[in-house]
Amino acid sequence: MDIVLVAGLWLTAAVWDAVVPVLEAAGHSPISVMLPGQDDGLATATLADQVSAVTGAIDRCSGPVLVVGHSAACSLAWIAADARPEKVAKVVMVGGFPSGDGETYADFFPCSNGVMPFPGWQHFEGPDSRDLDEPTKDRMAGSFVSVPEGVAKGIIHLSDQSRYEIPVVIVCPEFSVEQAREWLAEGVPELKPVNEISYVNIDSGHWPMLTRPTELGQILSALTGV
């Protein structure tokens, strides 16, 4: 199956490098999307540019597509599914939930000189980084890229109600399945109308593609139903 992989904030397509071989070994065709502004350093990139990159990857696939978004990019994956509901067989959200129509994409931290830099590990203490030692944090921070302000503050546009017919899977890394169920019951209004939502646990922090790539790849492979 074609599997489109979308990285979250401050990450490049290379974050999926250890997951891709696991998927390929299972017979799938993974595509790590090169996101404008994160993979090319273009500070003027916008959320619309990133949406075009994801929908373009979907369009290049010949059959049904599994779209995987990580963290903030759960919204990006969902926007793409809204734009291509006839092509997307399932959306997998790793460590995050989508925002709704009219909301900002990821205006979480201060921007400076037109970009939102990584704000520092102090914002990710606890469950998020529990499986990261200090050398790993240093390596990750050294590879992080700033996110263009036009991406972080971009406005989400959703319009096709058939997106709610697409099955959604929540992969739970730094939080439990039980917590995810509670959060969806209490909030996350964009997912309330979805007809089919399931949950998968993975014992990791917020970045399982780096700390548990084999397990994450196996989970994604199993979710294809192939």
Side-chain angles (χ1 to χ4, degrees):
M1 189 173 189
D2 292 310
I3 301 176
V4 171
L5 304 166
V6 189
L9 300 178
W10 311 297
L11 303 170
T12 68
V15 76
W16 301 102
D17 280 358
V19 177
V20 165
V22 180
L23 296 174
E24 290 176 334
H28 305 296
S29 298
I31 303 167
S32 300
V33 180
M34 303 281 284
L35 293 174
Q38 290 173 223
D39 281 280
D40 59 9
L42 185 63
T44 57
T46 65
L47 178 60
D49 294 329
Q50 292 201 349
V51 172
S52 293
V54 181
T55 56
I58 293 171
D59 290 341
R60 289 190 293 275
C61 297
S62 58
V65 183
L66 181 75
V67 180
V68 182
H70 170 252
S71 193
C74 293
S75 288
L76 188 50
W78 193 236
I79 298 168
D82 174 78
R84 299 292 188 273
E86 74 286 352
K87 290 273 292 184
V88 177
K90 188 177 294 182
V91 177
V92 181
M93 302 180 180
V94 182
F97 307 93
S99 296
D101 181 58
E103 297 182 310
T104 54
Y105 174 60
D107 188 15
F108 302 141
F109 301 100
C111 291
S112 176
N113 298 318
V115 296
M116 184 175 70
F118 178 64
W121 287 110
Q122 67 271 21
H123 295 280
F124 301 95
E125 293 179 353
D128 283 343
S129 58
R130 63 186 173 86
D131 56 351
L132 303 175
D133 57 23
E134 291 306 315
T136 301
K137 288 181 181 179
D138 290 342
R139 287 194 299 272
M140 288 175 63
S143 68
F144 286 157
V145 297
S146 294
V147 177
E149 186 170 5
V151 173
K153 294 185 177 182
I155 302 300
I156 292 172
H157 297 291
L158 301 167
S159 60
D160 195 326
Q161 296 295 303
S162 62
R163 68 184 180 276
Y164 298 127
E165 304 296 325
I166 302 172
V168 170
V169 180
I170 309 295
V171 176
C172 307
E174 73 271 21
F175 50 84
S176 68
V177 168
E178 291 72 22
Q179 287 174 310
R181 290 183 186 275
E182 289 175 5
W183 294 336
L184 262 66
E186 296 170 358
V188 196
E190 178 54 33
L191 290 184
K192 286 187 178 297
V194 174
N195 288 341
E196 181 182 335
I197 300 179
S198 56
Y199 305 82
V200 180
N201 183 65
I202 184 169
D203 186 17
S204 75
H206 189 60
W207 294 269
M209 67 284 294
L210 295 174
T211 60
R212 300 287 189 278
T214 299
E215 185 178 353
L216 180 59
Q218 291 169 341
I219 287 171
L220 297 179
S221 181
L223 292 175
T224 65
V226 177

